Every structure is written in structure tokens, then in C-alpha cells.
Amino acid sequence: MKTLALVILAILFSINSQAQNKNVKSEVKTTVTTVKDSDGEKKTIKTQEVQEVQNIEFKDTNTNLLNKETKETPVEVIKTTKITENGITKVIDVDRSAYYNLNGVKYQVAADKTGYTVFFPKGTKAAVLRKTSNNNYIYRTKNNTSYGYFDTNGNLILETYDDKTDKVTYTKYNLIQK
């Protein structure tokens, strides 16, 4: 019994003495927007958190020097956006609200309560984007439903199945860089 207690005590002390092996930098930006109209006052709170995580690694791990030099390692950036509107909080991993170009026409994608809304250039609603469980989107217009996702460059890619030709067509909305 004494041996078991000593082993558990040794494990607890060894876990506590672990050194930190990451540099973490976190920045939070909160924007509060208040809109007054005939229905009253609506408040929207948008919180953006950017966290930069960098592993700490030594240049020469086999030397007996007390003060060792660290080497540059890649920085992983994690962005999280939370939007609170009418008491409902929605978490967006990456906010895809932006302007997109398709065949010379500029479309706006804006976040809403359940996903995104796509607007024509004159501000009328063109479609909705709803997130699925596998991090993709359902793109729904009045008479069409497509499967959508964002590529590594932030462009919106839609895949639409055509019953008549039994083929899948690809449509690419190019992200307009600011």
C-alpha cells in the first residue's frame, strides 16, 4: 500500500513539473452595433478572437549548454467569431462574409442567424448557405439546391447535379480581396 501511494505521489509531482512548450498569443476584438428602426432597438455583438500558437523547439538539443537557442517554428492561427443577436449566440469558425465575383457580377455573402445569405448586387436575396455537419454548405435558391464549400483561397465552390445530363457542374465564386 505504501508503494502504491509513493508511486501515485511521484506521478503527480512529475506531471506538475512539465515545462511549457508553446507560445500562445490571444487577441479579442468586440464590436457592438445598435440599429434603431420602427420595430425598436436591435443590438448585435460581434466578438472576434484570434489566437496564435507556436511550438517552442531548440536548435541544438544534444548540447550541454544551459541557455539554448530556439529555432523558428510555424505559427498556427485560429480565428473564432461569435455573433450575438436577439439573445442568440452563433459561433463561426471562419467568417466568410465578403464580396464574391461570378461572371463579372459582384455578390455579397453576409452572416445571418443560421448560416449565410447571398445577395444580388442590388441587395435582393439570391440564396441561402446552411452549414452541414461535415463543414460544408447547402446552397439553396428558389429553384435549385447545390452542395457548396470554401477552397483554401476563400473562394466559394458550388457543385450542382443536373438530372437531364446526369452530370455535376462546378461553379466558382471568386473572393474579392480588399
Side-chain angles (χ1 to χ4, degrees):
M1 190 69 171
K2 284 184 186 179
T3 325
L4 181 63
L6 288 174
V7 169
I8 292 173
L9 195 60
I11 290 173
L12 288 176
F13 279 115
S14 67
I15 290 173
N16 252 353
S17 65
Q18 297 283 327
Q20 179 182 355
N21 58 357
K22 291 183 181 185
N23 281 335
V24 179
K25 177 184 168 189
S26 183
E27 180 179 322
V28 178
K29 178 182 173 186
T30 302
T31 307
V32 178
T33 307
T34 305
V35 177
K36 293 181 182 178
D37 60 5
S38 60
D39 295 334
E41 188 175 291
K42 295 179 184 175
K43 186 184 275 190
T44 303
I45 302 169
K46 182 177 181 180
T47 305
Q48 295 174 311
E49 181 180 0
V50 178
Q51 190 175 38
E52 297 177 1
V53 180
Q54 182 179 26
N55 289 331
I56 299 173
E57 294 180 12
F58 295 117
K59 284 185 181 177
D60 297 322
T61 56
N62 297 331
T63 62
N64 291 332
L65 294 173
L66 183 59
N67 295 325
K68 296 181 182 181
E69 290 186 46
T70 59
K71 66 179 178 180
E72 290 291 321
T73 58
V75 177
E76 179 184 356
V77 179
I78 302 166
K79 295 180 182 180
T80 305
T81 302
K82 293 180 184 177
I83 298 175
T84 304
E85 189 173 35
N86 300 329
I88 300 169
T89 301
K90 178 178 143 188
V91 177
I92 303 172
D93 293 334
V94 176
D95 190 4
R96 301 290 186 178
S97 298
Y99 288 96
Y100 294 85
N101 184 15
L102 176 67
N103 299 330
V105 180
K106 184 177 174 182
Y107 292 89
Q108 179 185 8
V109 175
D112 61 17
K113 287 188 272 185
T114 55
Y116 294 98
T117 304
V118 181
F119 294 100
F120 286 117
K122 293 187 179 184
T124 56
K125 185 176 172 181
V128 292
L129 280 169
R130 298 298 178 244
K131 192 171 186 175
T132 62
S133 61
N134 60 353
N135 217 17
N136 294 310
Y137 293 87
I138 296 173
Y139 179 86
R140 178 79 177 128
T141 63
K142 288 182 182 176
N143 27 322
N144 201 1
T145 302
S146 301
Y147 165 82
Y149 59 92
F150 292 93
D151 66 7
T152 56
N153 297 324
N155 301 317
L156 174 61
I157 309 296
L158 298 179
E159 298 179 8
T160 307
Y161 176 72
D162 187 4
D163 287 332
K164 296 174 185 171
T165 61
D166 193 32
K167 300 223 184 236
V168 176
T169 58
Y170 296 91
T171 308
K172 181 178 179 181
Y173 287 76
N174 292 312
L175 175 66
I176 298 175
Q177 302 294 335
K178 292 180 182 180

